């Protein structure tokens, strides 16, 4: 879908303190084998900070950075993990504390592609009426649950981090343009993440340890074959949507300056995503993302924020945004940078993805600046 006249007017992030992978190994949370294989150097751990509160912080930052803070006609909040009490409306909480606008607010769940998928819904909403001018999108997750070990996720090369991000879209202007965006589903793979668990079990609701490896293993006899099926089917559709988005934006793979993608610790996994699109893994955010863990719905927006804030992209550059989640949902988009916003730093002197510690979180009020962990040499391939 082409998105004429849709601009990005503000971005905001919340990144909590990082626990190093080495510390996780020492504490018995992360296996030594996985640490040596998968390339993660840490995970962002929010502790007692709720996901909606992190989202409020990111939203306030995005709105503050916007030139049109009152031009918000829609709010969409995305998540992967439970946000609070059962039956509660976390999206209303975020809207209430982020802005004084009394506008429609929606909660969406598309697994880890939810926030980027929400951008397509919001763009469509704005384009549907000339009276609508702006939208606020937020995402936030805290995976710190007693029934889940973030270091043994079993998917996405393991390791889940916490955080939040926000986007302000505007039809009146902004520092970047949303050129195109497309979504799709591989619904036939839904059972992979359900396994043999009953869809509804009122006598056993909650409290069970979440083990996605076990669920995947229940689908077929060979776990590796099951994972390969997900990778193959999702890869086909992901490449199709990315190439379609590029064509609609009037660019080809060689015109992509950088890519905002799901965070991973493995270069081989990143190549699996980008090679079918004809885009080099060097344009990704491997080094930057491996310090945080997979930040569920937030990887792509936090990655885009990092590219803009550090000056890694500037006027005329195109950023390919690639999101997929839950084995079933995919969204790809193209963003063109029109100008450097006031909150962006001077362009980096080299193309390294590892910023000075201040570039990660000093701009986020109340978030402690962390020292990046050194990255060990990466092993090719995946389990």
């Amino acid at each position: 879908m082409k998105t004429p006249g849709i601009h990005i007017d503000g971005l905001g992030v919340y990144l909590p303190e990082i626990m190093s992978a080495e510390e996780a190994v020492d504490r018995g949370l992360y296996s030594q084998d996985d640490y040596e294989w998968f390339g993660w150097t840490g995970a962002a751990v929010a502790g007692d900070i709720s996901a909606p509160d992190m989202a409020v912080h990111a939203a306030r930052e995005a709105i503050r950075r916007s030139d049109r803070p009152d031009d918000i006609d829609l709010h969409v909040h995305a998540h992967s993990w439970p946000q609070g009490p059962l039956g509660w409306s976390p999206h209303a909480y975020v809207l209430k504390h982020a802005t004084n606008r009394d506008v429609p607010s929606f909660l969406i769940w598309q697994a880890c592609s939810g926030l980027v998928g929400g951008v397509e819904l919001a763009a469509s909403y704005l384009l549907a009426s000339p009276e609508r001018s702006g939208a606020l999108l937020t995402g936030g997750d805290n995976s710190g649950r007693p029934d889940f070990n973030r270091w043994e996720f079993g998917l996405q090369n393991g390791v889940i981090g916490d955080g939040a991000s926000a986007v302000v879209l505007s039809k009146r202007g902004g520092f970047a343009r949303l050129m195109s965006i497309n979504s799709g589903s591989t619904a036939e793979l839904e059972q992979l993440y359900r396994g043999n668990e009953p869809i509804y079990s009122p006598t056993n609701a909650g409290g069970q340890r979440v083990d996605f490896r076990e669920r995947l293993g229940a689908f077929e006899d060979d776990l590796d074959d099951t994972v390969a099926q997900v990778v193959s089917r999702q890869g086909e559709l992901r490449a199709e949507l990315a190439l379609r988005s590029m064509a609609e934006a009037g660019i080809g793979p060689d015109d992509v300056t950088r890519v905002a993608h799901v965070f991973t610790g493995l270069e081989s996994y990143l190549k699996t995503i980008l090679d079918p699109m004809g885009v080099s893994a060097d344009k990704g955010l491997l080094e930057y993302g491996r310090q945080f863990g997979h930040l569920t719905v937030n990887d792509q927006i936090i990655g885009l924020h990092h590219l803009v804030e550090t000056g890694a992209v500037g006027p005329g550059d195109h950023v390919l945004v690639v999101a997929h989640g839950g084995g079933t949902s995919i969204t790809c988009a193209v963003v063109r940078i029109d100008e450097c916003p006031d909150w962006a730093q001077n362009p980096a002197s080299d193309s390294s993805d590892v910023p000075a510690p201040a570039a990660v979180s000093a701009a986020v009020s109340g978030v402690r600046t962390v020292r990046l962990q050194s990255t060990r040499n990466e092993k090719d391939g995946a389990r």
Side-chain angles (χ1 to χ4, degrees):
M1 179 180 78
K2 294 183 179 180
T3 50
I6 300 296
H7 302 262
I8 296 177
D9 197 29
L11 293 174
V13 304
Y14 186 99
L15 287 168
E17 182 178 353
I18 291 174
M19 176 187 289
S20 73
E22 290 181 349
E23 179 181 349
V25 171
D26 292 341
R27 293 173 59 177
L29 300 172
Y30 196 27
S31 77
Q32 183 69 34
D33 287 346
D34 284 354
Y35 168 62
E36 293 177 355
W37 184 270
F38 287 122
W40 296 105
T41 63
V45 180
D48 294 334
I49 306 171
S50 76
D53 282 320
M54 289 190 286
V56 167
H57 184 101
R60 288 175 175 174
E61 182 171 71
I63 293 170
R64 185 172 64 250
R65 289 172 168 177
S66 169
D67 291 332
R68 303 154 189 86
D70 293 326
D71 284 356
I72 295 175
D73 300 298
L74 173 73
H75 170 235
V76 176
H77 181 66
H79 70 106
S80 284
W81 295 100
Q83 300 284 285
L86 184 66
W88 177 57
S89 299
H91 48 308
Y93 177 91
V94 175
L95 178 66
K96 170 187 174 182
H97 291 281
T99 176
N100 60 358
R101 300 286 290 172
D102 187 11
V103 300
S105 180
F106 293 91
L107 181 69
I108 63 173
W109 196 94
Q110 286 290 97
C112 299
S113 67
L115 184 50
V116 179
V119 170
E120 180 170 8
L121 298 180
S124 299
Y125 184 88
L126 295 180
L127 291 171
S129 171
E131 298 177 354
R132 300 166 182 167
S133 59
L136 170 67
L137 296 104
T138 57
D141 272 316
N142 183 335
S143 63
R145 298 161 49 95
D147 56 353
F148 179 73
N149 179 2
R150 71 175 69 248
W151 300 95
E152 293 182 351
F153 183 43
L155 305 172
Q156 208 65 56
N157 310 323
V159 183
I160 298 294
D162 306 328
S165 59
V167 186
V168 174
L169 297 181
S170 175
K171 287 162 59 176
R172 300 183 188 273
F175 70 88
R177 279 181 289 169
L178 180 67
M179 303 297 293
S180 60
I181 189 165
N182 290 279
S183 298
S185 298
T186 51
E188 69 272 21
L189 300 178
E190 60 81 21
Q191 187 181 346
L192 294 179
Y193 288 69
R194 173 164 51 90
N196 289 327
E197 293 192 19
I199 293 177
Y200 180 64
S201 179
T203 60
N204 198 23
Q208 283 187 310
R209 184 175 181 274
V210 180
D211 189 336
F212 285 101
R213 290 181 181 178
E214 182 177 320
R215 293 185 188 181
L216 281 173
F219 190 70
E220 291 185 6
D221 293 335
D222 192 311
L223 177 59
D224 289 339
D225 288 345
T226 303
V227 173
Q229 180 182 355
V230 176
V231 170
S232 175
R233 181 66 184 94
Q234 271 212 326
E236 293 173 0
L237 181 57
R238 188 169 51 221
E240 175 187 333
L241 295 174
L243 291 170
R244 183 193 307 169
S245 296
M246 285 185 252
E248 291 175 344
I251 66 170
D254 291 341
D255 300 311
V256 172
T257 309
R258 299 299 298 270
V259 184
H261 51 80
V262 62
F263 290 160
T264 178
L266 281 170
E267 184 180 17
S268 57
Y269 184 83
L270 184 56
K271 288 182 176 180
T272 297
I273 296 171
L274 299 183
D275 281 356
M277 305 172 189
V279 179
S280 170
D282 293 340
K283 296 181 178 181
L285 290 163
L286 179 67
E287 298 298 338
Y288 177 70
R290 71 192 339 165
Q291 64 183 313
F292 299 120
H294 169 37
L295 300 175
T296 65
V297 300
N298 301 291
D299 287 342
Q300 293 78 14
I301 301 304
I302 287 178
L304 177 62
H305 175 277
H306 165 70
L307 291 172
V308 174
E309 183 183 43
T310 60
V313 292
D317 288 339
H318 292 89
V319 179
L320 175 64
V321 180
V322 181
H324 56 269
T328 61
S329 58
I330 302 169
T331 300
C332 297
V334 173
V335 172
R336 176 184 169 88
I337 308 300
D338 289 332
E339 61 186 54
C340 294
D342 294 340
W343 47 269
Q345 302 172 3
N346 293 327
S349 59
D350 57 46
S351 59
S352 173
D353 286 330
V354 183
V360 177
S361 57
V364 183
S365 174
V367 183
R368 196 179 85 177
T369 300
V370 295
R371 184 174 300 278
L372 306 185
Q373 302 295 318
S374 59
T375 304
R376 65 182 176 278
N377 293 330
E378 181 170 31
K379 297 182 179 179
D380 290 331
R383 292 180 180 175

